[in-house]
Each structure stands twice: as structure tokens, then as C-alpha cells.
Amino acid sequence: DTAVSQTPKYLVTQMGNDKSIKCEQNLGHDTMYWYKQDSKKFLKIMFSYNNKELIINETVPNRFSPKSPDKAHLNLHINSLELGDSAVYFCASSSGPKLFFGSGTQLSVL
Amino acid sequence: AQSVTQPDIHITVSEGASLELRCNYSYGATPYLFWYVQSPGQGLQLLLKYFSGDTLVQGIKGFEAEFKRSQSSFNLRKPSVHWSDAAEYFCAVLRDTGGGNKLTFGTGTQLKVEL
């Protein structure tokens, strides 16, 4: 019974394509996040949603568009993929100061 | 702005030996501090957290960490390392932005365990 689940786990695609990563949490949390982990393992927040409303938007290219259809889901759509987008993307959720992370989506842009 | 420094990129210890991973933070107020572990190909698992109170906190898998305000440190320790502890360890500090929690991570320390 996975608390925060992401799909797909692996995503390999060509430059210029558009792709989406989906995230669902069954913890009843109000807040969800997307984090990016680069090739040097550095983790950085991208977005945060609270009750379907965007509350944190770090300096992320506008090719990245998060969408939250309801508070249990936060999807990440990426347009015109670039080589530099290759990374592991983690979804997380929280109802207080403690974050729960998904297992990540490894995106490889060729 | 808050930041987290993990000065050791790699650490190698022998199985059964003690372990200490260093973490220093920079934050104006009382920080919420965390240690996460990431096994190869896996997500992030919370080991322990400090919010307030007792400065020595116990976590899962036999880990503990001590908050030292005077040194701005939150070092992770384990008295006897097991081979399965080999992983990447991240220290993090949390800031409440007023609408959401922003977790800032250190650059991580990769732990290798020699058998």
C-alpha cells in the first residue's frame, strides 16, 4: 500500500518530446511537491501545491507545468524536453513539517 | 537564506565500526532538521527529525543525531554500521514559507561499507 506513488519509474525519450509524470498520494495530505535530483545527486524543490493551489514555484523553466486535479494528485508535464532535463524527479506530500517521498522517476533525454 | 552543508562527499567505514556524518546548517530561526537516506535506485526514506526538545534524537535503523545550536550542526551517528547501511545520506532543513514547507537539502554523503 504505497503512500506516495509515481509513474512511470523510468522514462526514456528524445529531445523535443513532451512527457508527463504522474504522482498520487493516499495519505490525505494537503500539500504536494516536485523535487529534481540532478546527476550529482543534488535535490532541489521545483513546485509545491496546497489544496490544488500553486504555492511554491522555484525558478523553473516554463516548459515545466505542474497540474493538480485534486489534492491527492500532482502531475508534472514537460514540454520540448532538453538534454539537461535528464534527472530523477521525486514527488512528495506533507500535512505538516514531515515530507513523504515517492520512489522517483528517472528521466533520460536522448 | 537557509542552507545545509555536508562537508564529506564520500565516507568509507568497515562493517561494525562507528559512523558519524556531518551536517551544518545556516538558518535564522530554530530549524526543523532532517536526515534522509537514499539507497541505490530508491526514493528518500526519513531516518530521523529534530523539531524541538531533546537535542539527541533517535531514528530508525539504529541511527541517532544530535542538534548543537552553538555549532549549527546536526550530525548523524550510528555505533555499529551494517553492510546494508551503504547508501546516500542527505541532511535537510525545512522552512515554512507561510503557504508551504520548503525543504533544502545538503549535497549528500555517500557511505560505503567495507566487509
Side-chain angles (χ1 to χ4, degrees):
Chain A
D1 214 19
T2 306
V4 181
S5 59
Q6 300 178 224
T7 54
K9 190 169 174 64
Y10 301 98
L11 187 52
V12 181
T13 189
Q14 300 287 331
M15 266 198 317
N17 283 350
D18 303 337
K19 290 292 177 186
S20 292
I21 306 171
K22 296 186 176 182
C23 178
E24 177 181 2
Q25 54 97 2
N26 62 7
L27 298 167
H29 291 165
D30 291 334
T31 308
M32 296 185 72
Y33 311 80
W34 279 109
Y35 278 78
K36 179 181 180 180
Q37 186 175 45
D38 63 23
S39 59
K40 295 185 179 178
K41 302 278 182 126
F42 184 62
L43 279 149
K44 194 173 189 310
I45 190 169
M46 300 173 70
F47 302 103
S48 175
Y49 269 73
N50 183 269
N51 272 324
K52 303 192 295 175
E53 184 183 342
L54 182 65
I55 53 172
I56 294 175
N57 184 352
E58 293 293 284
T59 49
V60 178
N62 57 15
R63 297 182 295 104
F64 290 78
S65 53
K67 284 186 174 52
S68 182
D70 54 63
K71 71 176 194 177
H73 295 84
L74 180 61
N75 304 323
L76 183 65
H77 188 75
I78 315 170
N79 288 328
S80 303
L81 277 156
E82 300 177 357
L83 293 176
D85 298 330
S86 295
V88 181
Y89 294 84
F90 285 100
C91 179
S93 71
S94 72
S95 67
K98 190 171 154 184
L99 271 69
F100 293 80
F101 285 85
S103 56
T105 295
Q106 185 167 342
L107 172 64
S108 299
V109 183
L110 308 178
Chain B
Q2 74 278 22
S3 68
V4 180
T5 303
Q6 293 181 245
D8 304 306
I9 299 173
H10 302 284
I11 282 188
T12 301
V13 298
S14 299
E15 191 174 36
S18 63
L19 171 70
E20 182 169 36
L21 301 182
R22 297 183 289 166
C23 173
N24 292 95
Y25 67 90
S26 167
Y27 187 56
T30 300
Y32 286 174
L33 293 161
F34 303 80
W35 275 100
Y36 282 87
V37 61
Q38 185 180 21
S39 298
Q42 301 297 312
L44 292 154
Q45 183 180 23
L46 179 66
L47 283 176
L48 47 77
K49 62 190 184 297
Y50 172 77
F51 292 165
S52 64
D54 192 349
T55 56
L56 183 65
V57 292
Q58 302 297 321
I60 61 170
K61 303 184 180 187
F63 285 92
E64 66 178 27
E66 187 170 12
F67 171 62
K68 293 186 178 180
R69 184 186 300 277
S70 61
Q71 298 176 21
S72 297
S73 70
F74 188 56
N75 294 348
L76 182 72
R77 300 194 294 248
K78 186 169 184 177
S80 177
V81 169
H82 188 262
W83 65 267
S84 61
D85 293 325
E88 191 89 23
Y89 291 80
F90 294 94
C91 182
V93 63
L94 186 122
R95 181 169 69 96
D96 186 350
T97 64
N101 296 320
K102 188 174 171 181
L103 199 60
T104 299
F105 286 89
T107 49
T109 298
Q110 186 176 53
L111 173 66
K112 293 184 179 178
V113 180
E114 290 180 333
L115 299 177

